[in-house]
Amino acid sequence: MSSATPPEAVIVEVAVNGSTTREANPHVPRTPAEITDDMLACLGRGAAIAHNHNDEPMFTADAVHSPDPYVQAWTPVVEAHPDALLYPTMGAGARGIPVEQKWAHVEELARRGLGGMTLVDPGSVNVGLLASGECAPAAAAEPYQNSIADTEYMFRRTGELGAAPSISIFEPGFLRTTLTLQRHGRVPRGAMVKLYFGGDLQFGLPPTERALDAYVELLEDSGLPWSVAVLGGDVVGCGLAALALERGGHVRVGLEDYAGPRTPSNAELLDELLELLAASGRRPATCAEARATLGIGATATS
């Protein structure tokens, strides 16, 4: 299942915060200024993609998120790294809310040309249950829902806005939906598949070699670049990152995903991945190389 020639340059993403609280890790950036500083530090070390949440609850009655904190956090980042790829999260847990409403801030950021990347979640999932049998406080008792029509809207508007879709794969069905739409020409250029494995969070597939190979088999003829992350775990420490590198994949790290006995910073998690890359004869892709891998051009200001 390994790629014949894994790429020398590996696209590295850092998910800087998610719903991680300061009580869980005092190093997590929460304010726009802190997010800016963390993104700049990680991009300076070799990351090419950065992702963040703000302090709006993920699960709300109306799913509305404001674009303003993203604009505040991202503007200095884009000025320093115009080719970096940034993308937001999306309001979840709402019922009967049109996709145009829950995705409005993603669309507005793309309309302004900020970040260059949107978020597409092509399916529905239960994602809050922990290995302890408890449900994470930030989660909801009901599933996170995105219909096929919602998925088609997000892909279509991403293409119309000239952005690249970051495609979240929580379950194998998410990937099959994506690949079917791709075969019919309904996934825009620049797409990158993010394979999310469940660590402490009890969703989808566990971070094992056989689980990864199941995804790699599905992806085999698609030509889509892909990366791995462990939500509620340690993608480097559990060995999944090394397995992905052997198969031609890319890697996401960060305090949104990490769970373990330590309280590392995003820079420390990134440095651990960079050590793995060096040991395997790889290096982090520059922002321009990441864009080339995704098949999208440099920004007009770079």
Side-chain angles (χ1 to χ4, degrees):
M1 284 279 174
S2 61
S3 170
T5 51
E8 175 195 359
V10 174
I11 299 173
V12 173
E13 176 179 337
V14 179
V16 300
N17 57 11
S19 58
T20 302
T21 64
R22 293 195 197 279
E23 289 74 25
N25 188 320
H27 297 115
V28 68
R30 296 289 354 155
T31 68
E34 292 167 347
I35 292 165
T36 298
D37 289 345
D38 250 42
M39 285 186 171
L40 287 171
C42 291
L43 290 166
R45 277 175 155 81
I49 301 176
H51 165 65
N52 73 284
H53 295 209
N54 292 311
D55 284 341
E56 302 104 328
M58 278 292 296
F59 294 89
T60 65
D62 61 10
V64 171
H65 280 191
S66 170
D68 296 339
Y70 292 106
V71 174
Q72 187 178 345
W74 291 3
T75 298
V77 176
V78 172
E79 288 173 353
H81 299 275
D83 281 341
L85 292 163
L86 316 178
Y87 69 98
T89 190
M90 184 166 61
R95 300 295 172 267
I97 301 299
V99 65
E100 294 87 349
Q101 183 169 317
K102 66 183 178 182
W103 207 70
H105 65 292
V106 183
E107 186 158 347
E108 176 61 17
L109 293 165
R111 188 191 65 78
R112 297 188 191 192
L114 269 180
M117 187 167 259
T118 68
L119 174 72
V120 177
D121 289 0
S124 304
V125 65
N126 288 308
V127 76
L129 186 66
L130 302 173
S132 65
E134 302 297 319
C135 198
E142 296 178 342
Y144 171 41
Q145 293 184 342
N146 295 289
S147 68
I148 297 296
D150 292 349
T151 300
E152 294 249 36
Y153 175 88
M154 291 183 276
F155 277 136
R156 184 177 68 254
R157 289 299 293 142
T158 295
E160 290 168 353
L161 290 161
S166 172
I167 306 170
S168 310
I169 305 299
F170 286 91
E171 305 274 0
F174 282 33
L175 183 55
R176 297 193 70 186
T177 294
T178 297
L179 295 175
T180 298
L181 294 177
Q182 185 208 24
R183 287 196 302 272
H184 290 278
R186 302 208 291 273
V187 172
R189 71 188 185 96
M192 186 171 189
V193 166
K194 312 291 180 65
L195 302 176
Y196 296 151
F197 294 81
D200 191 38
L201 282 167
Q202 304 296 289
F203 71 88
L205 299 179
T208 65
E209 184 170 10
R210 286 197 289 181
L212 175 60
D213 283 341
Y215 276 135
V216 172
E217 180 180 354
L218 287 172
L219 283 159
E220 198 164 33
D221 297 325
S222 72
L224 290 173
W226 53 273
S227 68
V228 297
V230 178
L231 306 192
D234 183 346
V235 68
V236 174
C238 76
L240 185 67
L243 292 170
L245 296 178
E246 292 172 1
R247 290 154 175 77
H250 307 276
V251 184
R252 163 172 140 162
V253 295
L255 292 182
E256 173 171 349
D257 304 344
Y258 177 81
R262 304 177 293 141
T263 55
S265 66
N266 281 308
E268 288 170 331
L269 292 174
L270 175 55
D271 286 348
E272 290 167 6
L273 174 58
L274 296 179
E275 290 175 8
L276 175 64
L277 294 186
S280 63
R282 308 320 199 298
R283 61 175 177 81
T286 65
C287 294
E289 288 172 329
R291 283 177 170 267
T293 297
L294 300 183
I296 53 178
T299 63
T301 57
S302 62

